[in-house]
Amino acid sequence: IPATYITLDQLPLTPNGKIDTKALPAPGPERPDLDVTFVAPRTTAEQIVTTVWSEILGVDTIGIHDNFFELGGHSLLATQVTSRLRRQLGVDVPVRTIFTSPTPATLAAAMRELATADEAPLVPVDRADTALPLSFAQQRLWFLDKLTPGSAEYLVPFALRLRGELDADALGAAFTGLVARHEILRTRFVTDDSGRPSQMVDAPWSVTPVVHHVRSDAGLEDRERTAQEVMEAEARRPFELDGGRLLRVDLVPVAQDDQYLLITLHHIVSDGWSAGILARELRELYAAALAGSEASLPGLPVQYADFAVWQREQLTGDFLETQLAYWRERLSGVPVLELPTDHGRPAEREGAAGDTVYFTLPAEVAEPLRRAAGRRGASLFMTLLSLFKIVLARYGRQDDIAVGTPIAGRNRAETEALLGFFVNTLVMRTDLSGDPTFTELIDRVKDTALGAYDHQDLP
């Protein structure tokens, strides 16, 4: 079901009389039809909130009684809202507050009751000492790499199909620009004599895509199969964390002006959010290289290593004890989920066998779920997590269900444009006892999730 409709006097046509889809206008970022009347901001705080929402949601006009979630918001975007409000107003707004006060009017009122944020600023650190600490997320992956050297589990490969004329030199220049712009792409992870890791940032280096030649005399189907085999092999080739250059760029041609671009990173320098940043900036840098000009990318006030130092300094004292106390209480006595699988869980982990299954929810299923979430002031994620917990409870025949879920970990505005590994895993533990109704369960899961978001900084 389209989110936006545009009425045209006539459809644009090509010289051959067919619809010219490239000439169709893009939908504008207009305010969707809501059940509330538009009311403009009345106070400075309401104006700031609506401006921040407009930037994050991509909606031009937002009224003070418009609901954040009805405008397309969700938990991840709510985190961006809180980080930008912290930067602009110096007020620490918990993600929970966006759910309990989901309109600019109620959020502005709630902010008046909140304490001023007293976190240390995230600023560049002195690079005189080249040995910089790892972030907590990086330390997890460094440990796992030491535990199982040469593993390909934490590689992040993604491929783009490029059709049309490609300038390989401009592509190399674009990746070289990315490496120069983001220190994390030229970082090595070394271990000192005492066994402690640190990250070393190298000077910028030039990227030349590796071209894999596929037999041109083979049929298209064979060439496609060979290209897939080459990419699968490259996507499994491990990195050495202390060797640097945790980025590989491969071009695998299928036909003239038709090829795959395979980008492979180690997870220790990248995450899902980073993939979007990389794709956007690569497009800008490639276009600039073709034009022989400078890309118009905003400057980066800090780099990933600055965040790692800040995180280590921040997670201390009372703040650390508060986070620890919450999770000790939440995870005390957490049970193992015993699913009736066709064979038992081994005493030790055996390899990395697994799969990802994709499916699409039909609109007639998805829309009632969205409405159910809206009625409870919950996100669609919380509603789907409730359903998943019902399934696990039924199959596992237990009422205490804990599910690990990733969170972006970018609750500072300064980190939104950085490549790097910020992800944390939160344990969502919910009590399903007492035969709750589905709406009651959504409330329980919502409370679980908001508590986890409030204490998301503990690694």
Side-chain angles (χ1 to χ4, degrees):
I1 300 176
T4 304
Y5 292 88
I6 300 177
T7 302
L8 304 178
D9 292 333
Q10 61 183 22
L11 293 174
L13 303 177
T14 66
N16 296 329
K18 297 182 179 180
I19 295 176
D20 187 356
T21 56
K22 293 182 179 179
L24 289 169
E30 299 176 356
R31 179 176 179 264
D33 291 331
L34 302 175
D35 293 334
V36 296
T37 304
F38 172 80
V39 178
R42 303 159 300 185
T43 65
T44 302
E46 290 177 351
Q47 181 62 60
I48 291 173
V49 170
T50 56
T51 300
V52 168
W53 286 18
S54 180
E55 293 171 355
I56 291 174
L57 297 172
V59 178
D60 274 349
T61 305
I62 295 178
I64 62 171
H65 300 308
D66 294 353
N67 187 290
F68 179 75
F69 300 99
E70 292 179 3
L71 292 170
H74 49 71
S75 303
L76 191 61
L77 295 179
T79 300
Q80 289 185 257
V81 168
T82 63
S83 65
R84 296 195 188 187
L85 291 176
R86 180 194 294 115
R87 181 178 61 182
Q88 293 192 27
L89 298 175
V91 177
D92 194 1
V93 181
V95 173
R96 177 187 296 273
T97 307
I98 308 295
F99 282 84
T100 57
S101 305
T103 69
T106 56
L107 182 57
M111 287 194 301
R112 289 196 292 268
E113 308 297 325
L114 295 172
T116 302
D118 57 358
E119 287 183 335
L122 175 48
V123 295
V125 300
D126 185 11
R127 293 296 199 274
D129 180 7
T130 55
L132 297 161
L134 275 60
S135 70
F136 293 114
Q138 287 177 325
Q139 188 163 340
R140 293 200 299 273
L141 292 194
W142 172 85
F143 170 80
L144 291 171
D145 184 75
K146 293 296 182 183
L147 188 66
T148 54
S151 170
E153 279 187 77
Y154 287 96
L155 301 188
V156 183
F158 59 99
L160 304 173
R161 186 72 173 263
L162 305 180
R163 290 187 171 92
E165 185 178 353
L166 176 69
D167 188 321
D169 292 335
L171 183 65
F175 276 103
T176 299
L178 274 176
V179 170
R181 177 172 166 82
H182 294 276
E183 285 184 357
I184 192 66
L185 294 180
R186 43 191 168 92
T187 297
R188 290 179 290 119
F189 299 88
V190 298
T191 309
D192 63 19
D193 294 337
S194 65
R196 291 186 306 174
S198 62
Q199 50 183 316
M200 308 282 289
V201 179
D202 292 333
W205 47 277
S206 178
V207 179
T208 301
V210 176
V211 181
H212 299 263
H213 296 286
V214 177
R215 285 180 53 192
S216 58
D217 58 345
L220 180 59
E221 187 174 322
D222 290 336
R223 279 178 276 146
E224 185 76 45
R225 185 184 307 110
T226 302
Q228 294 291 338
E229 291 172 353
V230 169
M231 288 192 293
E232 288 177 9
E234 286 300 310
R236 292 194 182 102
R237 186 158 60 88
F239 288 105
E240 294 183 2
L241 297 188
D242 58 356
R245 305 201 175 188
L246 302 179
L247 161 70
R248 288 197 297 264
V249 181
D250 296 273
L251 283 172
V252 187
V254 177
Q256 183 70 25
D257 295 338
D258 183 5
Q259 55 218 305
Y260 286 102
L261 168 63
L262 176 66
I263 305 168
T264 309
L265 296 145
H266 195 284
H267 208 343
I268 202 169
V269 300
S270 180
D271 56 18
W273 186 302
S274 297
I277 297 172
L278 190 149
R280 289 193 301 271
E281 295 194 355
L282 184 64
R283 183 172 60 243
E284 294 288 335
L285 290 163
Y286 179 71
L290 286 177
S293 60
E294 291 291 324
S296 57
L297 293 172
L300 297 175
V302 294
Q303 293 284 340
Y304 187 91
D306 302 315
F307 163 77
V309 172
W310 174 86
Q311 185 189 51
R312 294 277 176 174
E313 293 174 347
Q314 190 68 24
L315 202 61
T316 56
D318 292 341
F319 180 71
L320 173 60
E321 286 305 315
T322 300
Q323 295 268 328
L324 280 171
Y326 174 83
W327 287 110
R328 283 195 185 107
E329 187 275 326
R330 288 298 302 163
L331 301 182
S332 176
V334 64
V336 172
L337 180 64
E338 297 291 354
L339 292 174
T341 53
D342 57 355
H343 59 272
R345 181 184 285 108
E348 293 186 11
R349 189 167 179 269
E350 299 173 351
D355 201 357
T356 302
V357 180
Y358 296 94
F359 61 94
T360 301
L361 284 179
E364 59 267 24
V365 175
E367 285 307 313
L369 287 174
R370 285 197 179 94
R371 290 195 294 270
R375 286 193 296 269
R376 308 311 300 174
S379 66
L380 184 59
F381 164 76
M382 295 170 183
T383 306
L384 293 171
L385 181 58
S386 301
L387 288 167
F388 185 50
K389 284 177 179 279
I390 291 172
V391 173
L392 295 179
R394 292 277 177 87
Y395 278 108
R397 296 185 178 183
Q398 59 192 75
D399 294 328
D400 192 350
I401 303 294
V403 175
T405 66
I407 191 166
R410 296 174 185 255
N411 51 3
R412 299 282 308 195
E414 298 92 333
T415 63
E416 289 181 10
L418 288 180
L419 296 181
F421 182 39
F422 293 87
V423 176
N424 198 7
T425 302
L426 303 180
V427 183
M428 306 289 190
R429 182 184 184 185
T430 307
D431 178 9
L432 280 74
S433 63
D435 193 24
T437 65
F438 183 52
T439 54
E440 288 172 343
L441 180 57
I442 293 176
D443 290 342
R444 294 185 189 183
V445 172
K446 173 186 172 182
D447 186 64
T448 296
L450 294 179
Y453 297 154
D454 288 343
H455 300 85
Q456 64 175 279
D457 296 291
L458 192 77

